[in-house]
Amino acid sequence: MALIPCPECKREVSDKAASCPHCGNPLVNFVGQQVRPATSVETAPGRVVTTEATSKKWKAVQFAGFMISVIGIAMIMGGSGQRGFVGGGEVMVLGFMIFLFGRFMGWWKHG
């Protein structure tokens, strides 16, 4: 067990703690990574909504999938038909599958 500073109140907290015992700030522990805080927003007095950040890696996968889908749609709209190995439909579906994979892994890893 190691002590780390709380991102909110800067007091020492166990790296195994789910939240800071001093201020109550939730902590998210990722195996093999440093403890990272969840984002907490007070939407109304006494009501706090906590969300966990998605890793930039999975956001990049989602963005790449989206852009590949857009390229596929552009190929279809261009009316170029099928050239070479793949046509616009296949490119669009591939991009959509990559996008969904990124969404799923972002949810699964929640990192």
Side-chain angles (χ1 to χ4, degrees):
M1 179 181 85
L3 294 177
I4 59 169
C6 170
E8 189 69 28
C9 68
K10 308 296 185 228
R11 294 174 76 182
E12 289 187 335
V13 182
S14 167
D15 63 346
K16 306 278 189 233
S19 64
C20 176
H22 308 288
C23 68
N25 185 49
L27 303 172
V28 180
N29 189 4
F30 296 98
V31 177
Q33 295 181 2
Q34 186 178 13
V35 174
R36 293 177 42 194
T39 304
S40 298
V41 178
E42 188 167 349
T43 57
R47 182 171 178 211
V48 176
V49 176
T50 302
T51 57
E52 294 180 15
T54 301
S55 165
K56 288 182 182 179
K57 175 173 126 180
W58 298 118
K59 287 180 183 176
V61 170
Q62 292 173 41
F63 181 73
F66 175 75
M67 292 308 295
I68 292 170
S69 292
V70 168
I71 291 169
I73 291 171
M75 289 172 67
I76 292 170
M77 299 291 281
S80 61
Q82 183 163 344
R83 293 184 189 171
F85 253 0
V86 294
E90 290 88 358
V91 172
M92 182 184 69
V93 170
L94 174 67
F96 185 67
M97 289 172 59
I98 292 170
F99 173 79
L100 287 180
F101 176 73
R103 294 287 294 177
F104 175 76
M105 292 306 290
W107 168 79
W108 185 263
K109 298 284 184 178
H110 231 340

